[in-house]
Amino acid sequence: MRFTTLSVLGAFCASTYAAECLGNTYDQLEQYEKAYIDARQHLCGGTVCPDNEDCAAQVSLTTTSPLGAGPLAKHMNVTVEVIISRKSTTGVGGFKDCWEATMDIIQSCKINQRKEYGYWLANDQLYVMDTQTSSVTF
């Protein structure tokens, strides 16, 4: 009986397909949503990454950021790099969940939890998104 219960629980957990969010938490990560969406388009839309191949895409976005305090904050420009990748965990191509998986990472990890990294692993597919600050200018 216990084996059956664990099997059913394992099947349920394996079918929930939720993004896992890791790393530091940063305020205002949601302001880079355009960069996340652009990177997603490159990865899933066939503009940079060919269909059914492991691939990575990178997008830069510079924005005036409210980071910091005082009179300098309004003059601070922050450039972020969004790196997004996909990989078949079995070596066989097929990225049927690309759009859904990457949006789940964006919504769960970047917008809601404001985490630095996010990944999605299911159906023999791995998707990873990372956000890094590449420069800050005044």
mmCIF file of all heavy atoms in Angstrom, residues 1-13:
data_model
loop_
_atom_site.group_PDB
_atom_site.id
_atom_site.type_symbol
_atom_site.label_atom_id
_atom_site.label_comp_id
_atom_site.label_asym_id
_atom_site.label_seq_id
_atom_site.Cartn_x
_atom_site.Cartn_y
_atom_site.Cartn_z
ATOM 1 N N MET A 1 0.822 -1.188 0.000
ATOM 2 C CA MET A 1 0.000 0.000 0.000
ATOM 3 C C MET A 1 0.869 1.256 0.000
ATOM 4 O O MET A 1 0.597 2.190 -0.712
ATOM 5 C CB MET A 1 -0.928 -0.032 1.220
ATOM 6 C CG MET A 1 -1.857 1.140 1.272
ATOM 7 S SD MET A 1 -3.087 0.987 -0.037
ATOM 8 C CE MET A 1 -4.210 2.225 0.456
ATOM 9 N N ARG A 2 1.905 1.248 0.799
ATOM 10 C CA ARG A 2 2.770 2.422 0.860
ATOM 11 C C ARG A 2 3.452 2.672 -0.484
ATOM 12 O O ARG A 2 3.588 3.809 -0.915
ATOM 13 C CB ARG A 2 3.814 2.224 1.946
ATOM 14 C CG ARG A 2 4.678 3.416 2.140
ATOM 15 C CD ARG A 2 5.584 3.229 3.318
ATOM 16 N NE ARG A 2 6.226 4.476 3.629
ATOM 17 C CZ ARG A 2 7.154 4.608 4.519
ATOM 18 N NH1 ARG A 2 7.552 3.574 5.216
ATOM 19 N NH2 ARG A 2 7.700 5.775 4.742
ATOM 20 N N PHE A 3 3.880 1.625 -1.169
ATOM 21 C CA PHE A 3 4.512 1.763 -2.471
ATOM 22 C C PHE A 3 3.561 2.426 -3.462
ATOM 23 O O PHE A 3 3.952 3.315 -4.214
ATOM 24 C CB PHE A 3 4.957 0.393 -2.989
ATOM 25 C CG PHE A 3 5.589 0.459 -4.339
ATOM 26 C CD1 PHE A 3 6.892 0.913 -4.485
ATOM 27 C CD2 PHE A 3 4.882 0.098 -5.465
ATOM 28 C CE1 PHE A 3 7.480 0.978 -5.727
ATOM 29 C CE2 PHE A 3 5.458 0.176 -6.718
ATOM 30 C CZ PHE A 3 6.755 0.603 -6.858
ATOM 31 N N THR A 4 2.306 2.032 -3.469
ATOM 32 C CA THR A 4 1.303 2.615 -4.360
ATOM 33 C C THR A 4 1.115 4.089 -4.050
ATOM 34 O O THR A 4 1.059 4.929 -4.948
ATOM 35 C CB THR A 4 -0.047 1.865 -4.227
ATOM 36 O OG1 THR A 4 0.176 0.494 -4.495
ATOM 37 C CG2 THR A 4 -1.074 2.436 -5.169
ATOM 38 N N THR A 5 1.028 4.441 -2.785
ATOM 39 C CA THR A 5 0.843 5.835 -2.389
ATOM 40 C C THR A 5 2.023 6.686 -2.844
ATOM 41 O O THR A 5 1.831 7.766 -3.394
ATOM 42 C CB THR A 5 0.679 5.946 -0.858
ATOM 43 O OG1 THR A 5 -0.405 5.112 -0.468
ATOM 44 C CG2 THR A 5 0.415 7.370 -0.440
ATOM 45 N N LEU A 6 3.247 6.201 -2.656
ATOM 46 C CA LEU A 6 4.416 6.952 -3.084
ATOM 47 C C LEU A 6 4.474 7.074 -4.603
ATOM 48 O O LEU A 6 4.857 8.108 -5.132
ATOM 49 C CB LEU A 6 5.689 6.298 -2.553
ATOM 50 C CG LEU A 6 5.909 6.400 -1.046
ATOM 51 C CD1 LEU A 6 7.158 5.628 -0.637
ATOM 52 C CD2 LEU A 6 6.018 7.845 -0.614
ATOM 53 N N SER A 7 4.067 6.037 -5.309
ATOM 54 C CA SER A 7 4.052 6.089 -6.769
ATOM 55 C C SER A 7 3.075 7.144 -7.261
ATOM 56 O O SER A 7 3.362 7.907 -8.175
ATOM 57 C CB SER A 7 3.669 4.732 -7.356
ATOM 58 O OG SER A 7 4.633 3.775 -7.021
ATOM 59 N N VAL A 8 1.891 7.178 -6.671
ATOM 60 C CA VAL A 8 0.886 8.169 -7.062
ATOM 61 C C VAL A 8 1.380 9.570 -6.730
ATOM 62 O O VAL A 8 1.269 10.492 -7.537
ATOM 63 C CB VAL A 8 -0.466 7.881 -6.369
ATOM 64 C CG1 VAL A 8 -1.445 9.019 -6.577
ATOM 65 C CG2 VAL A 8 -1.041 6.564 -6.889
ATOM 66 N N LEU A 9 1.961 9.755 -5.554
ATOM 67 C CA LEU A 9 2.503 11.056 -5.173
ATOM 68 C C LEU A 9 3.621 11.471 -6.112
ATOM 69 O O LEU A 9 3.675 12.620 -6.555
ATOM 70 C CB LEU A 9 3.007 11.014 -3.729
ATOM 71 C CG LEU A 9 3.602 12.306 -3.182
ATOM 72 C CD1 LEU A 9 2.569 13.423 -3.214
ATOM 73 C CD2 LEU A 9 4.112 12.101 -1.777
ATOM 74 N N GLY A 10 4.508 10.558 -6.458
ATOM 75 C CA GLY A 10 5.591 10.862 -7.392
ATOM 76 C C GLY A 10 5.073 11.264 -8.749
ATOM 77 O O GLY A 10 5.561 12.201 -9.375
ATOM 78 N N ALA A 11 4.054 10.576 -9.239
ATOM 79 C CA ALA A 11 3.460 10.923 -10.538
ATOM 80 C C ALA A 11 2.818 12.291 -10.474
ATOM 81 O O ALA A 11 2.908 13.082 -11.417
ATOM 82 C CB ALA A 11 2.441 9.865 -10.939
ATOM 83 N N PHE A 12 2.161 12.614 -9.371
ATOM 84 C CA PHE A 12 1.539 13.928 -9.230
ATOM 85 C C PHE A 12 2.597 15.027 -9.206
ATOM 86 O O PHE A 12 2.476 16.033 -9.900
ATOM 87 C CB PHE A 12 0.705 13.999 -7.944
ATOM 88 C CG PHE A 12 0.162 15.362 -7.678
ATOM 89 C CD1 PHE A 12 -0.934 15.834 -8.386
ATOM 90 C CD2 PHE A 12 0.757 16.192 -6.746
ATOM 91 C CE1 PHE A 12 -1.424 17.101 -8.157
ATOM 92 C CE2 PHE A 12 0.267 17.466 -6.508
ATOM 93 C CZ PHE A 12 -0.828 17.918 -7.217
ATOM 94 N N CYS A 13 3.648 14.844 -8.438
ATOM 95 C CA CYS A 13 4.708 15.857 -8.356
ATOM 96 C C CYS A 13 5.399 16.036 -9.704
ATOM 97 O O CYS A 13 5.736 17.151 -10.077
ATOM 98 C CB CYS A 13 5.730 15.477 -7.292
ATOM 99 S SG CYS A 13 5.076 15.600 -5.616
#
